[in-house]
Amino acid sequence: METEHTLRRLKTIEGHLRGVIRMVEEDAYCIDVIRQIQAVDAALNKVSAQILENHLNSCVITAIQGNDKKERQRVLKEITEVFEMSAKV
Amino acid sequence: METEHTLRRLKTIEGHLRGVIRMVEEDAYCIDVIRQIQAVDAALNKVSAQILENHLNSCVITAIQGNDKKERQRVLKEITEVFEMSAKV
Amino acid sequence: METEHTLRRLKTIEGHLRGVIRMVEEDAYCIDVIRQIQAVDAALNKVSAQILENHLNSCVITAIQGNDKKERQRVLKEITEVFEMSAKV
Amino acid sequence: METEHTLRRLKTIEGHLRGVIRMVEEDAYCIDVIRQIQAVDAALNKVSAQILENHLNSCVITAIQGNDKKERQRVLKEITEVFEMSAKV
């Protein structure tokens, strides 16, 4: 179900990006193109957050409630990594 | 020329994004999907910077060397705006 | 222990920020000031990631292993929120 | 004048950052600390944008209206660089 929702949003963003490509092909004003790219960026960030939420509520809960300490550490480390990266992109 | 370069990069990103959609369809690991989305984000930021560079070296130079003070202010204001926004997305 | 480490880093950043203030007082070149502010930003992001890591390895583990479902949801929701925000600042 | 305004804002942010340090010293809740760090980040981005605006309306106009082509290119290159960096921090 969440996958369906994620897919729908990603496909909308793909359409948005194709719109940006068309703008460039039609020689649209640079600043307008940059603004649309920033809108695509913002939409991608929202999808990422949604995917992370699903991940926390499934894999992460399973890992933390499980007995494998190494797996638990791996799963938590990954979250820190994508968090740190999200500030950079 | 620069437009060709921009278009090529945007189409590459579109292909990358379609790859992300495929990953979600095939139920890839959430964190891997997030990382690929972050890579798309980073690539979009680079294209934006390239478009801004072209814009600075064409429209902005023309506006600043021209006599229309209002137009000059408008053009400079836009740059501040996309700069401020770029920190947010 | 982690708190000591976090504090040390935050105090270093405070010193860095005071350096930026001095630069502005001494009329440093604008772009150099902006670059230093961006360096402060990057350092703050790293501290945030470190704090999140500590949080995941303490409170979040406790909440997820505990019996309070609402608390668990609250704790996971917060992570999604700071993740989403981190892409915006 | 603009320098005064910038200084005032930076000093306010310094106070905000000292507040964050105090929070960590007093063992505040991790997520609250992260949120305050993100607020400091957002405030720094705003100051950067303001400094860039001043820079565009002074040095950049002077450089572009001047006769030194190399200087013009240097000044425009810098703007692209801080723009690209702003998306990363």
Side-chain angles (χ1 to χ4, degrees):
Chain A
M1 219 46 177
E2 279 97 1
T3 300
E4 274 317 303
H5 188 48
T6 303
L7 270 178
R8 233 184 355 261
R9 290 176 80 165
L10 283 172
K11 282 175 183 172
T12 305
I13 295 172
E14 192 198 352
H16 197 160
L17 183 56
R18 263 203 301 274
V20 173
I21 291 173
R22 219 154 31 236
M23 284 175 79
V24 175
E25 285 170 345
E26 293 165 1
D27 248 329
Y29 184 52
C30 299
I31 295 291
D32 291 339
V33 175
I34 292 175
R35 283 186 177 132
Q36 289 308 312
I37 291 178
Q38 292 178 333
V40 169
D41 249 14
L44 285 172
N45 291 335
K46 277 198 183 157
V47 179
S48 282
Q50 188 206 326
I51 296 173
L52 182 69
E53 190 167 17
N54 299 343
H55 180 62
L56 290 167
N57 285 293
S58 53
C59 308
V60 176
I61 289 185
T62 307
I64 291 182
Q65 290 180 341
N67 291 315
D68 187 342
K69 206 189 157 190
K70 257 200 168 149
E71 170 67 1
R72 199 155 68 210
Q73 285 177 330
R74 193 187 62 73
V75 157
L76 294 179
K77 187 76 197 153
E78 281 175 346
I79 294 169
T80 311
E81 284 167 5
V82 294
F83 174 78
E84 197 170 350
M85 184 52 74
S86 85
K88 289 189 198 158
V89 290
Chain B
M1 220 46 175
E2 280 97 359
T3 300
E4 274 317 303
H5 187 48
T6 302
L7 270 178
R8 232 182 359 258
R9 290 176 79 165
L10 282 172
K11 281 174 183 173
T12 305
I13 296 171
E14 193 199 351
H16 197 160
L17 183 56
R18 263 202 302 271
V20 173
I21 292 174
R22 222 157 25 236
M23 284 176 78
V24 175
E25 284 169 346
E26 293 165 1
D27 247 329
Y29 185 52
C30 299
I31 296 292
D32 292 339
V33 176
I34 292 175
R35 283 186 177 131
Q36 289 309 312
I37 292 177
Q38 292 179 331
V40 169
D41 248 15
L44 285 172
N45 291 335
K46 278 198 184 157
V47 179
S48 282
Q50 187 206 327
I51 296 172
L52 182 69
E53 190 168 16
N54 299 343
H55 179 62
L56 290 168
N57 284 291
S58 52
C59 308
V60 175
I61 288 184
T62 307
I64 291 183
Q65 291 180 340
N67 293 315
D68 186 342
K69 205 188 157 189
K70 258 201 166 148
E71 171 67 2
R72 198 155 67 210
Q73 286 177 329
R74 194 187 60 75
V75 158
L76 295 179
K77 188 74 196 154
E78 282 175 346
I79 294 169
T80 310
E81 284 166 6
V82 293
F83 174 79
E84 197 171 351
M85 184 51 76
S86 84
K88 288 189 198 159
V89 291
Chain C
M1 218 47 175
E2 280 97 359
T3 300
E4 276 316 305
H5 187 48
T6 303
L7 271 178
R8 236 185 353 261
R9 289 175 81 165
L10 283 171
K11 282 175 182 172
T12 304
I13 296 172
E14 193 199 350
H16 197 161
L17 183 56
R18 263 202 302 273
V20 174
I21 292 174
R22 224 158 23 238
M23 283 176 79
V24 175
E25 284 170 345
E26 293 166 359
D27 248 329
Y29 185 53
C30 300
I31 295 292
D32 292 338
V33 175
I34 291 175
R35 282 185 178 133
Q36 289 308 313
I37 291 177
Q38 291 179 332
V40 169
D41 248 15
L44 285 172
N45 290 335
K46 278 197 183 157
V47 179
S48 282
Q50 188 206 326
I51 296 173
L52 182 69
E53 190 168 17
N54 299 342
H55 180 62
L56 290 167
N57 285 292
S58 52
C59 309
V60 175
I61 288 184
T62 307
I64 291 182
Q65 291 180 340
N67 292 315
D68 186 343
K69 204 189 157 189
K70 257 201 168 147
E71 171 66 2
R72 199 154 67 211
Q73 287 177 328
R74 195 188 59 75
V75 157
L76 294 179
K77 188 75 196 155
E78 282 175 346
I79 294 169
T80 310
E81 284 166 6
V82 294
F83 173 79
E84 196 171 350
M85 185 52 73
S86 85
K88 288 189 200 159
V89 290
Chain D
M1 219 44 177
E2 280 97 359
T3 300
E4 276 316 304
H5 187 48
T6 302
L7 271 177
R8 234 186 353 262
R9 290 176 79 164
L10 283 172
K11 282 174 182 172
T12 304
I13 295 172
E14 193 199 351
H16 197 160
L17 183 55
R18 263 202 302 274
V20 174
I21 291 174
R22 223 158 23 239
M23 284 175 77
V24 175
E25 283 170 346
E26 292 165 1
D27 249 328
Y29 185 52
C30 299
I31 296 292
D32 292 339
V33 175
I34 292 175
R35 283 186 177 131
Q36 288 309 312
I37 291 177
Q38 292 178 331
V40 169
D41 249 15
L44 285 172
N45 291 335
K46 277 197 185 157
V47 179
S48 282
Q50 188 206 327
I51 296 173
L52 182 69
E53 189 167 18
N54 299 342
H55 179 63
L56 290 167
N57 285 292
S58 53
C59 309
V60 176
I61 288 184
T62 307
I64 291 182
Q65 291 180 339
N67 292 314
D68 187 342
K69 204 188 158 190
K70 257 201 167 148
E71 170 67 2
R72 199 155 69 210
Q73 285 177 330
R74 193 187 60 74
V75 157
L76 294 179
K77 187 76 195 153
E78 282 176 346
I79 293 169
T80 310
E81 283 167 6
V82 295
F83 174 78
E84 197 171 351
M85 183 53 73
S86 85
K88 289 188 197 158
V89 292

